[in-house]
Amino acid sequence: MSLKTLPLLFINLGGEMLYILDQRLQAQNIAVDKAKKVMNDIVTTMFNRKFMEELLKPQEVYSNKALRTVFERLAHSSIMRLNHASMDKLYDLMIMAFKYQVLLCPRPRDLLLVSFNHLDAVKNFVKDVPAIFNQVEETHRLLIEMYVPLSAGEFQLIRQTLLLFFQDLHIRVSLFLKDKVQNSNGRFALPVTGPVPYGVEVPGVIRIFGPQGKEVKRTQFPPVGTYSSAVREGSFDVFGDRATVLGTNMYCVSRPVETHLSAKSKASSQHAKKNAAPNPLAKEELNLLSRLMGRLDVQSPAHSGFRFRVNLFSTDEEEEEAFLSRPDNLSYEVINIHAIQDQQANGELARIMGEFQEEAEPSQQPGSKGEELLAMMDGL
C-alpha cells in the first residue's frame, strides 16, 4: 500500500465535488454572487496551506466513512447546506466518477494528469480571486514537486491502493448508465479500443530475441480491440496540455445526474459492511484524521441568515424518500448494549472491557487526538 495516495484521492474527489455543486447551483438558479461565494469558500478551505501540509505527509488512505466526514465539513464550510441524503448522493457521485477515471487511465502515471485536470478546473472556478487562485497554484506546485519524480513502479503502487479503496463500491450512476459505460450491476464496462499508453506500441506483434539480444523472429496476431498510438504525452507542468479528458467536468452538458443503488448492490454493500472485521488501525486512523481535520479551519459564516440549502435530487420528495431509505450503517449514533442475563458472560465481558480500557487509557488523557476530533466535530 502506498503512503502517497491520500493527496491524489483527496484532490480528485474534491474536484468532482466542485463540479457537482457547480452544476446543482446552476440547476437550482442560485444567485450568481451566492454561488460564487460557495465555491470560493469551499476552495479556500480545501486548499488551506496548513491543511495541505498535513495532507501531503506520508500516511495511509482513510476509510470511506472518514473521508465522507472530511468532505461533509468541506461542503458545509460555506453558506450552503446539504441534508444527509443529498450528502450521501454527492459523495457517491464523487466516488464513482473518480473510480471510472482511475480504471480508464492508460498508465499509472496518468493519474497525475487526471489530478492536474481537476486542479486546472478548480483554478478556473476561482480565477477572479487572486488570493484563492494562488492557494490552488501553490498546491499544484507542491504536487509537481512530490509526484513528478516518482518512478513508474511507485505510481503503479498508488493505482493499486486506489483500486483497493474502490473495489467494493458499485453504485449505479444514471449518467454512466445512459452512456453505456456502466452495467446494471454497477460495474464499469471498459473499452477495448482507443489509444495505447504513451510510449507503448500497438498490440499485434510478438518479437522473439536470441541469446545475444538480437531479434530472431517476429510473428503477428490479431488484437481483440482496435488500438491506436498515443499522439503525445500530457504536460506535467503547472500549465500545459494534459492530453486527456479524464478529470475534466463531465457535468458541463445539461442532463440529469442521479444515483441509483440497486437492491442487489445495496444488499451486498450492507452485507460487506456488517461482516467487515474490526480494523486494528482504527485508532491510528482516528489520530491521523484528527491531525488532518485539526488543520481544516471551518468557520461559521458571519451572516447565518444568508444560508441556503442545495438539493441533489430532482424534488424534495425524492430527497426525503432517499433519507428514509438511508442504510443504518451510515448512522453516527452510539448503540449501548446491556448484557445482564448470564453471570459468566458478564464476567468475561468485564475482563474484555477492562483490557480495552487499559489500551484506551492513553487516548483518554486531556488533549488526546480522538477527544480533540470529537470536540472539534461537535463545534463545527
Side-chain angles (χ1 to χ4, degrees), residues 20-37:
I20 298 165
L21 291 179
D22 179 63
Q23 190 269 345
R24 293 311 300 163
L25 290 169
Q26 294 183 41
Q28 293 185 214
N29 296 319
I30 302 299
V32 175
D33 57 336
K34 288 187 178 181
K36 283 187 176 181
K37 178 171 176 54

Side-chain angles (χ1 to χ4, degrees), residues 174-191:
S174 64
L175 189 151
F176 292 140
L177 293 170
K178 290 176 182 178
D179 290 344
K180 298 183 179 180
V181 298
Q182 190 178 29
N183 298 323
S184 58
N185 59 5
R187 298 181 183 274
F188 289 111
L190 301 181

